[in-house]
Amino acid sequence: GALVYQYPRRTICKSGTSMRMECQAVGFQATSVAWYRQSPQKTFELIALSTVNSAIKYEQNFTQEKFPISHPNLSFSSMTVLNAYLEDRGLYLCGAREGQDTQYFGPGTRLLVL
Amino acid sequence: GEQVEQRPPHLSVREGDSAVITCTYTDPNSYYFFWYKQEPGASLQLLMKVFSSTEINEGQGFTVLLNKKDKRLSLNLTAAHPGDSAAYFCAVSGSGTNTGKLTFGDGTVLTVKP
């Protein structure tokens, strides 16, 4: 079946430092990967949508300079949170889309910023 | 862009009762609709996906109704049990250039009391 792995599951970083998170699709070829952040209040924000061989599209309030994404093939994507601060904390979810419809989510990377 | 409103934000029912969660969306071109369940500390579990040609879908212990005329999507847990206690999120997939982007509702925290 389709599985999405994310690493690390949980990370703590000091304010102003950076951390990288990874997303791996297993059992299917992901036509696109979307990165979301779920705030401590549980609401979701789309950070960016990445389609292989196409430019990565960032949503308003999110930039490549702050959240650079690498998507080298159909099964792997990584995103870095640069200069993390308190407002960046949350659960970062990777959604890998199979075909035209279903997006499968990984378990998320929970980011805590001290 | 797409806006999704989900109601109610909190719902408490007795075991065996039904529980109904509703989402309304704004973009008439939206094509794919999803319900996810999120247990505490966990990621999103796909419950049901609904496409524009489907109005009613039945899963294990729940029913999803899509009304495209009213731009309304609902999840009905027919006989809730304590294991159903979780946060539930609807998500609407964009079309065209927004394909692959999910807009989430703000969630419903369901509590099922024994």
Side-chain angles (χ1 to χ4, degrees):
Chain A
L3 291 172
V4 178
Y5 293 99
Q6 284 188 254
Y7 178 82
R9 294 289 302 274
R10 184 183 177 95
T11 185
I12 302 172
C13 66
K14 291 179 66 174
S15 182
T17 63
S18 303
M19 68 83 52
R20 179 173 178 265
M21 56 190 75
E22 300 179 348
C23 173
Q24 180 90 40
V26 177
F28 69 104
Q29 291 190 321
T31 53
S32 67
V33 171
W35 286 92
Y36 298 85
R37 179 171 68 195
Q38 186 179 30
S39 70
Q41 293 74 35
K42 304 299 182 189
T43 57
F44 287 92
E45 296 176 281
L46 174 64
I47 298 170
L49 177 64
S50 173
T51 306
V52 174
N53 299 324
S54 295
I56 298 171
K57 297 179 185 177
Y58 286 84
E59 291 295 293
Q60 199 172 10
N61 301 326
F62 296 96
T63 64
Q64 183 181 5
E65 289 71 31
K66 172 72 174 178
F67 299 94
I69 291 171
S70 171
H71 191 183
N73 57 57
L74 289 172
S75 65
F76 182 82
S77 177
S78 67
M79 183 176 74
T80 301
V81 181
L82 294 175
N83 300 317
Y85 288 98
L86 193 60
E87 59 266 26
D88 296 318
R89 64 194 169 124
L91 181 66
Y92 287 80
L93 289 169
C94 161
R97 185 164 62 101
E98 178 183 37
Q100 291 299 312
D101 48 41
T102 306
Q103 206 161 96
Y104 295 101
F105 286 91
T109 294
R110 189 167 298 280
L111 173 63
L112 298 173
V113 182
L114 301 178
Chain B
E2 175 79 88
Q3 294 183 19
V4 178
E5 185 170 332
Q6 183 171 343
R7 289 285 184 266
H10 298 275
L11 181 59
S12 180
V13 301
R14 291 262 177 220
E15 184 173 7
D17 289 348
S18 64
V20 180
I21 303 170
T22 302
C23 289
T24 56
Y25 59 96
T26 57
D27 186 352
N29 295 318
S30 296
Y31 200 74
Y32 298 103
F33 307 86
F34 305 90
W35 282 102
Y36 290 93
K37 176 183 180 182
Q38 186 180 38
E39 297 181 353
S43 186
L44 296 170
Q45 173 193 350
L46 178 66
L47 285 180
M48 179 71 72
K49 55 183 178 182
V50 185
F51 305 115
S52 62
S53 60
T54 305
E55 287 194 347
I56 298 176
N57 255 331
E58 292 186 2
Q60 267 194 323
F62 58 88
T63 302
V64 170
L65 175 65
L66 172 64
N67 183 329
K68 288 199 70 186
K69 177 175 176 289
D70 294 340
K71 296 195 285 291
R72 185 185 303 271
L73 178 71
S74 64
L75 171 69
N76 185 349
L77 284 78
T78 47
H81 57 85
D84 292 329
S85 296
Y88 291 82
F89 295 89
C90 64
V92 178
S93 178
S95 59
T97 57
N98 290 322
T99 300
K101 294 170 61 173
L102 291 182
T103 302
F104 285 86
D106 285 345
T108 297
V109 177
L110 173 66
T111 304
V112 182
K113 298 178 181 177

